[in-house]
Structure formats: C-alpha cells, structure tokens
Amino acid sequence: MRKILLAMIVMGALFSCKKEKPFTIFMIGDSTMAIKRAEVFPETGWGMVLPNYFDSLVVVDNHAVNGRSSKSFIGEGRWQVVLDSLKSGDFVFIQFGHNDQKVKSPDRYTEPYGEYTSNLVKYVKESRQKGAVPILFTSIVRRKFDVDGKLVDTHGEYPQAMKKVAEELTVPVVDLQKLTHSMVEALGTEESKELYLWTDPDDQFPEGRKDDTHLCTEGAEKVARLAVIELAKINQKLAEHIINKEE
C-alpha cells in the first residue's frame, strides 16, 4: 500500500512539473497598438483586442503609448520598465516607425538605417538577454489614396530597415505594412474608412473625426487577426495558445 501511495505521489509530482506555466506578451510601440481612453472611443489600438485571440495561459501586457518612437520609448524610461519585468519564456512585440519619421521632433526622430536600426537591435538583444523572444512588426499603413485609387506608401525606408534587422539578427517579423496595405487597398477609398477613425459629429467632437492613421474597433480587430494568423506560422509556442483565429 505504501509503495502504491509513493508511486501516486511521484506521478502527481511529474504531472505538476509538466503543467505549462503562463507567459507574458509585452507590447511596445505607438498609438496604432496602444490602449485608448474611453472618451476617444471607438478609437482602438490593435493591441487592445489582441488578448481575445489567446487562451488563459497568455497575459498580454500592452506598454505601447501614443506618439512614441523607437527613440522616445527608450528616452522616457519606458523600455527599462519592460526590460525589468521580462522573464525567460516571455515575448516582446515591437512596432515602431510612425513617429520615428517626425523630423521636426528631435526627441522622436530617427534615421531608418541609423538610430532606428540601432534602437531595434537594442530591443532585440536585450530581450534575448532576459530569455524573452522578440518579434518585430512593421507599421500598419495610413489610409492615403492617390487619384487613381492606389494606396500611397507613407513609411519610406522604415519597414525595409526593420526587415533588414530581422534578417541580420534572425528575428521573426510580421509585415503588417504589407498585410494592411493589401487589405486597405482591396477595400478601396470608401469602404476602407470603416477601418479607421471616421466618426460623425457629436458633443465631444463637433466636427467629427477623419483620421486615416488610427483604427476604430473594427479595424483593430481585423489588424489583430492578420497578426495572429502570421504569428501562428512563425512561432510554435504562440500557435499552441491562439484561439478564435479565422483564416
């Protein structure tokens, strides 16, 4: 009887050791990813809805903030806060580019193949030093069409600079620039407004909003879905915890 009891204890211990531990996805980036205040609804960062696509073992900790670039996120100490929290087995989702273009804002502006690149390298290497897995995300497109109904690129060399970092450091990259470009251009000039922050006049915004950079709730959902479909392809651990994914 004692041997049976001992065997049951050992088996229970082995089972508990195999039980998978929760892990955290830390998100760092700009306003298109960030959590929004209730008063600006329906403005929604795609990081706000990302938790809907993962099971209960995944914690999404969204540190993205409006207006931040790869430079200012470090300069304000925000990256250090994330770095101090990282544990082995966590993930870091990195999306910058929109605000790195701000030439007239020296606290944010970076050259694509200069400081922008070195900042991305810093994020990647320091994440790995903590045992976390970095994943890069190119910026989502702005809704800007030319007279022929073709979507105009507004990000210049930043997406390519990020992909070069991904190649040189063997980092997974989700090309949201390419994915959202295809989606927005396919919808066309009018229907694509449903993804962005186009709202009717109300008490808070008497003139309404015609914002071709930031997403509404529907747009955030669709961008998040594009992201998780790609994540399922590039990382097995994440793939095992993705739910509600629609091809």
Side-chain angles (χ1 to χ4, degrees), residues 20 49 83 95 99 106 122 137 152 232:
E20 193 169 1
V49 300
L83 190 60
Q95 178 200 273
N99 299 303
K122 175 182 173 70
F137 293 77
V152 176

Side-chain angles (χ1 to χ4, degrees), residues 36-44 66 197 199 204-205 209:
K36 307 296 180 177
R37 305 187 312 275
E39 55 265 33
V40 299
F41 183 83
E43 183 177 351
T44 308
N66 288 18
L197 196 61
T199 61
Q204 186 172 359
F205 299 97
R209 286 174 284 181

Side-chain angles (χ1 to χ4, degrees), residues 40-96:
V40 299
F41 183 83
E43 183 177 351
T44 308
W46 69 267
M48 290 178 68
V49 300
L50 190 66
N52 299 337
Y53 295 92
F54 286 95
D55 64 27
S56 60
L57 285 178
V58 181
V59 176
V60 177
D61 192 356
N62 190 347
H63 288 254
V65 182
N66 288 18
R68 270 54 181 189
S69 71
S70 69
K71 180 179 181 178
S72 62
F73 198 86
I74 295 170
E76 295 174 0
R78 297 178 186 277
W79 171 237
Q80 191 62 51
V81 171
V82 173
L83 190 60
D84 290 343
S85 302
L86 286 180
K87 305 181 303 297
S88 180
D90 287 340
F91 289 79
V92 184
F93 289 2
I94 304 159
Q95 178 200 273
F96 291 104

Side-chain angles (χ1 to χ4, degrees), residues 145 149 151 179-189 191-192 195:
F145 287 88
L151 197 62
L179 293 168
T180 56
H181 187 285
S182 297
M183 177 175 66
V184 172
E185 191 167 69
L187 289 171
T189 56
E191 194 174 349
S192 61
L195 304 179

